[in-house]
Amino acid sequence: MVETGVRRASVPGWTRLTQWTPWTQWARWTVVAAVVGALLGVGWALLAPPRHVGVLGDGRAAVLTGESLHRFDAVALFALVTAAAGVVGAAAMWRAGQGTPRRALGIVASAAVGSVSAAGVGLGLAAWRYPDAADAAAGTVVALAPDLATPMAVLPGPLAAAVTLVVLVAFAPDDTDDDTDTAGADGPEGDDDGPGKDDGPVSPAA
């Protein structure tokens, strides 16, 4: 039997992503960013160092010498992890399809969703891992769950994604330059005819 018509070529899964509608793409990116952010939050909660304090009683506690630095360590680790994810994710999504301002806005928004997801999951898991110091007996040393200290800790992820997009746009090749160079001074068909061109030897009978 002879097949008629045009057979549809197989399209890779990553290419099919770019053929979806913009709203479907944004929804997909948001879900992926939230899942990746949750995984990053789990890793942060396991790696971020706690602060050890001495319980004084009556809900009071004294931070041990040098332990206050771990609060900065937790914030710095979260910022580095989310910023790295923003750079990698922005570059991958930008190269997956045609670059447009709306696409760039969606990438930055997805990075923000991922950072918020990482913060929520990370803080929740850290609070579950470490006990509450209020329930400890006086004179004991307990570890406090790492925290982010400020809501501004979620900004490095989307900021890193935005900076990555600016760099990609700045160094992207311009296709219009190639079209201009191919035309040249010889005309669109490559003719070298001109006033000074040698048309060959002149016949003596001319």
Side-chain angles (χ1 to χ4, degrees):
M1 187 176 79
V2 179
E3 296 182 1
T4 59
V6 179
R7 180 180 298 176
R8 294 183 59 186
S10 60
V11 181
W14 189 253
T15 305
R16 287 198 300 268
L17 173 63
T18 63
Q19 298 176 351
W20 292 12
T21 61
W23 289 109
T24 307
Q25 288 184 9
W26 284 13
R28 183 182 178 91
W29 293 344
T30 302
V31 172
V32 172
V35 173
V36 173
L39 296 177
L40 294 178
V42 172
W44 174 82
L46 297 177
L47 296 177
R51 290 179 299 146
H52 293 85
V53 299
V55 179
L56 302 178
D58 297 332
R60 297 178 300 164
V63 180
L64 301 182
T65 303
E67 291 294 318
S68 59
L69 297 177
H70 291 327
R71 194 172 192 181
F72 169 79
D73 296 338
V75 177
L77 179 62
F78 184 86
L80 290 176
V81 170
T82 54
V87 171
V88 175
M93 288 189 291
W94 182 261
R95 289 301 185 183
Q98 183 180 5
T100 60
R102 182 172 57 182
R103 186 183 187 86
L105 180 60
I107 292 173
V108 176
S110 298
V113 171
S115 295
V116 173
S117 176
V121 173
L123 292 175
L125 180 58
W128 176 79
R129 288 187 64 202
Y130 297 96
D132 190 359
D135 299 332
T140 59
V141 176
V142 297
L144 297 181
D147 58 3
L148 297 179
T150 173
M152 303 295 287
V154 300
L155 293 181
L159 286 178
V163 173
T164 301
L165 294 177
V166 172
V167 174
L168 290 175
V169 172
F171 288 94
D174 191 357
D175 296 335
T176 57
D177 294 341
D178 297 337
D179 298 337
T180 305
D181 294 340
T182 54
D186 296 337
E189 298 180 358
D191 289 339
D192 293 332
D193 295 341
K197 181 187 176 184
D198 186 6
D199 294 330
V202 179
S203 175

